[in-house]
Amino acid sequence: MNPVNHVAIIMDGNGRWGIRHKKSRNAGHKAGLKSVEDIIKISIDYNIKFLTLFAFSTENWKRPKKEINYLFKLLESYLITKISEFHKQNIKLKIIGKKKFSKKLNLLLNSAEKKTSKNSKIQINLALNYGSKFELVNAVKKIVKNNYKINEKNIEKYLYTKNLPDPDILIRTGNTKRLSNFLLWQLAYTEIFFEKKLWPDFNREDYSKIINRFKKIKRNYGNV
Ligand code: FPP
């Protein structure tokens, strides 16, 4: 049985969920946050050590301002109300992506990371303003600047995911089969599960089914 150490998730389908429920796209994001909380709890139950969640991509800035503002306000109030609880539960929060937000959000993110930095139950990597191509170009630039050798080890050293194991499982909800510039390097040998359900509807049963299917897969890594 394969151990599950690191799960990455593209949480797609919030907007459609909001519209389908005759509400707004933003109502879908609010419902999506509830799924985030549930999935963190279930990941802890499964003793998963790293959970990487794609919350906002470098391309998501193209969305209407109203939606972007709503998402960041949602995150702000979530951090303000929940970070102490996270800390009590021994959860470590790390942001992956370019931290270039409002002064208030930057401060909140930095203090949440600092407060939880020694925690060890599970590490939540929240991908915010994250783009894999940017991450890779940036890594190569740093290697060249320092005159280091361009090799896998050095590239990995300059990724946001430095020192993290690669994801074992990638889940994308929302019935869309693409990677959307997420962890392109790190997913080289990850098992990928595309889920029809929209993110706010994704529940414990769906997650457990994927984990159990993953556990039985023969992982070859290019071998036979
Ligand atoms: C993709 O669904 C989802 C996002 C771009 C945002 C993810 C945000 C959450 C899960 C909400 C809570 C998390 C934080 C960190 C505030 P989509 O809007 O692209 O859905 P669609 O494909 O139906 O349009």
Side-chain angles (χ1 to χ4, degrees), residues 11-16 25 29 32-33 36 55 60 63 67 71 75 199:
M11 310 180 286
D12 195 18
N14 290 348
R16 278 168 286 163
R25 290 183 52 83
H29 291 311
L33 189 54
V36 170
N60 286 151
R63 293 187 176 211
E67 183 170 339
L71 267 171
L75 178 59
W199 175 248

Side-chain angles (χ1 to χ4, degrees), residues 138-191:
N138 216 33
V140 174
K141 275 186 185 166
K142 283 184 182 149
I143 294 171
V144 170
K145 196 172 157 203
N146 289 305
N147 231 350
Y148 295 148
K149 264 197 188 148
I150 298 182
N151 57 30
E152 290 188 18
K153 210 170 141 225
N154 282 339
I155 289 177
E156 277 166 5
K157 222 172 25 197
Y158 288 105
L159 299 179
Y160 297 117
T161 50
K162 176 187 169 191
N163 294 334
L164 300 185
D166 287 339
D168 300 295
I169 295 177
L170 170 77
I171 300 169
R172 180 176 188 137
T173 59
N175 203 19
T176 305
K177 294 184 174 130
R178 55 176 170 252
L179 295 179
S180 300
N181 200 13
F182 188 48
L183 303 176
L184 301 177
W185 176 280
Q186 297 87 339
L187 295 177
Y189 274 101
T190 300
E191 303 296 333

Side-chain angles (χ1 to χ4, degrees), residues 23-111:
K23 294 176 188 161
S24 57
R25 290 183 52 83
N26 285 348
H29 291 311
K30 193 169 175 198
L33 189 54
K34 170 78 178 54
S35 286
V36 170
E37 291 214 273
D38 293 345
I39 293 305
I40 293 174
K41 278 194 204 115
I42 304 163
S43 301
I44 292 174
D45 292 346
Y46 273 100
N47 206 20
I48 288 164
K49 288 295 172 195
F50 302 91
L51 178 65
T52 300
L53 301 172
F54 203 8
F56 197 85
S57 74
T58 45
E59 289 77 27
N60 286 151
W61 295 107
K62 294 177 199 154
R63 293 187 176 211
K65 248 208 158 98
K66 200 173 145 208
E67 183 170 339
I68 296 175
N69 289 341
Y70 182 84
L71 267 171
F72 288 126
K73 284 281 163 228
L74 193 64
L75 178 59
E76 268 179 28
S77 55
Y78 187 73
L79 287 172
I80 291 167
T81 54
K82 293 286 166 121
I83 205 64
S84 296
E85 211 178 289
F86 261 39
H87 187 46
K88 265 192 222 142
Q89 290 179 60
N90 199 11
I91 296 172
K92 175 174 175 175
L93 182 73
K94 181 177 156 60
I95 307 304
I96 61 167
K98 198 165 180 210
K99 263 192 254 156
K100 219 178 152 199
F101 309 104
S102 69
K103 207 171 162 190
K104 184 177 175 191
L105 184 54
N106 279 338
L107 276 170
L108 275 168
L109 292 170
N110 286 336
S111 95

